[in-house]
Amino acid sequence: MEYNVHEIDSRYDFVVQGVSYIGSPRQGTAMYVTQKVAHLLENIRGLTACLVFAEKGIEADPELQKENCIVFSENPQLAYVRFAGSLAGQKEALDRKRKYTLTEEGYYLGENVQIGENACIEPTALIGHDVVIGKNAFVGAGAVIKNAVIGDDFVCNAHAVIGSPGFTMCEDEEGNKLRIPSLGRVIIGNFVEVGVGDNISAGSGGDTVIEDYVKLDVLIHIGHDAHIQKNAELTAGAIVGGFDQIGERAYCGLNAAIRNRVSVGAGGFIGMGAVVTKSVEAGMTVVGNPARKFERTK
């Protein structure tokens, strides 16, 4: 995937090769920024070859525009979606030309896949193009893994889906819903366990990250660009929204739901069925709908 920004602004001549999130931008990528988070534009300072769709009215330091192309728009999210859609179209066209191979073990394997030694992959699983999986992996029957880089000693139980498209939308000029392309990946550390029927969405602008020793029970949804830190434990039916941050050793109870762009601090405890609408401090226990701090009574 690549695009020369000269086609957008003739003053520039560099290639964009992907997308990223303005909160954590990467060099040589495209992103967008709205008035609401205009201060995040400063994050591209020191980077080059970035294409930024910015909302009109944002003041951009001329120094930032020397090495980066900033395009002002009434609706920067829509402008970004149309641009990202062109990159996604390139990727889709290339992937349609690539082949899957049915292995002797009965699972499907894409092109340019790396799988470490001592892996066990059951029949009917599918491993997509360019996926990397470390040693000692187990992948259960019917699991689908795409757009992912995975560490050692990984367990993926039956019918889990890793690297699915994120669910995030914008509207065009007529109010029609458009899906924002998911051009990121899922990055998974070592000793991670994924439960039966789990869904882990690929990043939209950045990556969805699951650190070492995270344990996921069955029927869990992890939204795009979420970050689950080391030793976190999520039990059956939990829902984690897009861009959520779940701290180290945090615990999420049965059927709890965490809205998008919320953080749970290290050691935070989310009670069974809780609906978390605000960030949770480190070590805090919250319960209920909406979730509130749990106060013990004597």
Side-chain angles (χ1 to χ4, degrees):
M1 300 181 297
E2 62 178 42
Y3 185 96
N4 194 313
V5 301
H6 186 78
E7 297 182 39
I8 294 177
D9 190 327
S10 60
R11 295 175 299 173
Y12 299 91
D13 187 16
F14 62 80
V15 170
V16 169
Q17 295 184 310
V19 298
S20 63
Y21 169 50
I22 188 65
S24 183
R26 299 193 305 271
Q27 194 155 292
T29 61
M31 63 209 76
Y32 71 93
V33 59
T34 63
Q35 283 277 12
K36 187 176 181 179
V37 290
H39 63 283
L40 295 179
L41 185 60
E42 190 64 23
N43 289 342
I44 68 169
R45 190 173 298 279
L47 301 182
T48 62
C50 290
L51 172 61
V52 183
F53 296 95
E55 189 169 359
K56 284 185 177 179
I58 292 177
E59 294 186 9
D61 186 339
E63 288 296 318
L64 296 179
Q65 300 182 66
K66 287 183 177 180
E67 301 292 339
N68 302 286
C69 177
I70 301 178
V71 179
F72 293 95
S73 170
E74 295 287 352
N75 189 339
Q77 186 185 54
L78 179 58
Y80 165 84
V81 166
R82 286 174 169 158
F83 172 81
S86 69
L87 294 184
Q90 289 183 35
K91 183 177 185 300
E92 181 179 355
L94 290 172
D95 283 347
R96 285 187 175 187
K97 296 178 182 178
R98 305 172 86 180
K99 303 297 183 183
Y100 281 94
T101 301
L102 179 60
T103 66
E104 292 182 358
E105 295 80 7
Y107 64 88
Y108 289 91
L109 191 66
E111 296 184 11
N112 193 37
V113 173
Q114 299 177 46
I115 299 176
E117 61 184 10
N118 199 36
C120 175
I121 303 177
E122 292 188 335
T124 72
L126 184 147
I127 311 298
H129 308 303
D130 306 315
V131 165
V132 177
I133 301 176
K135 62 185 180 182
N136 304 321
F138 170 81
V139 179
V144 176
I145 302 177
K146 296 183 177 182
N147 309 307
V149 177
I150 299 170
D152 297 336
D153 297 279
F154 172 63
V155 174
C156 178
N157 285 290
H159 302 291
V161 178
I162 297 173
S164 61
F167 189 80
T168 180
M169 306 291 160
C170 77
E171 293 185 353
D172 66 12
E173 295 85 352
E174 287 75 43
N176 299 312
K177 297 287 186 179
L178 301 177
R179 183 188 287 268
I180 298 177
S182 296
L183 294 173
R185 303 169 297 173
V186 177
I187 308 297
I188 295 178
N190 301 319
F191 298 98
V192 170
E193 295 185 18
V194 174
V196 173
D198 289 352
N199 178 74
I200 303 174
S201 298
S204 176
D207 294 323
T208 301
V209 178
I210 299 178
E211 294 187 6
D212 296 350
Y213 292 97
V214 168
K215 307 301 181 185
L216 305 179
D217 199 357
V218 303
L219 301 176
I220 286 173
H221 172 72
I222 306 295
H224 63 89
D225 301 276
H227 188 159
I228 316 297
Q229 295 182 13
K230 189 175 180 179
N231 280 304
E233 180 182 351
L234 281 70
T235 60
I239 298 174
V240 175
F243 291 104
D244 281 351
Q245 301 279 326
I246 309 299
E248 289 191 16
R249 298 189 180 278
Y251 177 90
C252 190
L254 298 169
N255 290 318
I258 305 173
R259 69 163 291 173
N260 60 307
R261 297 184 183 275
V262 163
S263 63
V264 177
F269 187 100
I270 311 301
M272 181 175 63
V275 177
V276 181
T277 61
K278 298 179 181 179
S279 291
V280 177
E281 296 177 7
M284 180 184 290
T285 296
V286 297
V287 297
N289 180 8
R292 294 181 174 87
K293 184 178 180 180
F294 177 68
E295 301 286 358
R296 294 186 180 275
T297 57
K298 296 183 178 179

